Amino acid sequence: MAEHDEEFLRRAAQAKTRIVQISPQQARAQIAEGVTLLDVRSDAEFHEGHIEGALNLSADEFASRIETLLPDKQAPVVCYCRGGNRGALAADKLQQLGYTQVSSIEGGLSAFLADGDCADAAREK
């Protein structure tokens, strides 16, 4: 798991106060309804395993590609990363850009996998 510096963790903690965090169970319900899943990890992390159907947009590409990838700012979007911090920052950024139905999986992919059936996640896609 990536180690984050104190400044990053401080920014993530602040973002978490401004966004909606959902549980893995809530994420599963939204996935069943067809929500857009946004995996904000690196390409390499994404290819190691991800939630089936997720779009991958790493933090490096976020600013330049988000509005092309997600043109409907009213569509529901669930962000996630490995542990919840990058996902929270991405959700916060989406809100700042005018997206209105954004959330982040609390605890990220790690919590999602720990909570349920690993068949929900794609491996080596």
Side-chain angles (χ1 to χ4, degrees), residues 93-108:
K93 182 65 174 175
L94 285 173
Q95 288 180 162
Q96 292 170 22
L97 292 171
Y99 290 83
T100 60
Q101 295 188 63
V102 181
S103 59
S104 176
I105 299 175
E106 188 170 11

Side-chain angles (χ1 to χ4, degrees), residues 24 28 108-118:
R28 281 188 172 77
L109 181 61
S110 297
F112 187 88
L113 293 175
D115 180 69
D117 184 357
C118 287

Side-chain angles (χ1 to χ4, degrees), residues 43 56-66:
D43 290 342
N56 182 224
L57 184 62
S58 68
D60 298 346
E61 302 173 311
F62 203 84
S64 65
R65 292 190 49 217
I66 192 61

